Amino acid sequence: MPFYEYECRTCGAKFEAMLPMSTRDAAEKELECPECGARAPRRLISCFSTAPSPGSSGHAPQCNTQGG
């Protein structure tokens, strides 16, 4: 089950939630901000990491979360 990152549309707090992919869209509407209790946060695009494969340099590309 993957973790997703969210940002509250009301107070701007960022938080994570672990949701099943099959019901994610419906479950997101019910998510509550841990800071203010507002519902339906905005899903953020986030990085993920993996273990390096044998023979690789062990360096993963940096995630660019900045627009443009």
Side-chain angles (χ1 to χ4, degrees), residues 33-57:
C33 171
E35 298 293 322
C36 73
R39 290 191 175 205
R42 179 173 73 99
R43 187 180 336 130
L44 300 175
I45 297 174
S46 58
C47 296
F48 65 94
S49 65
T50 60
S53 60
S56 73
S57 66

Side-chain angles (χ1 to χ4, degrees), residues 10-25:
T10 302
C11 73
K14 292 182 181 175
F15 61 96
E16 294 180 346
M18 188 169 63
L19 302 172
M21 292 173 65
S22 60
T23 60
R24 181 196 66 204
D25 292 338

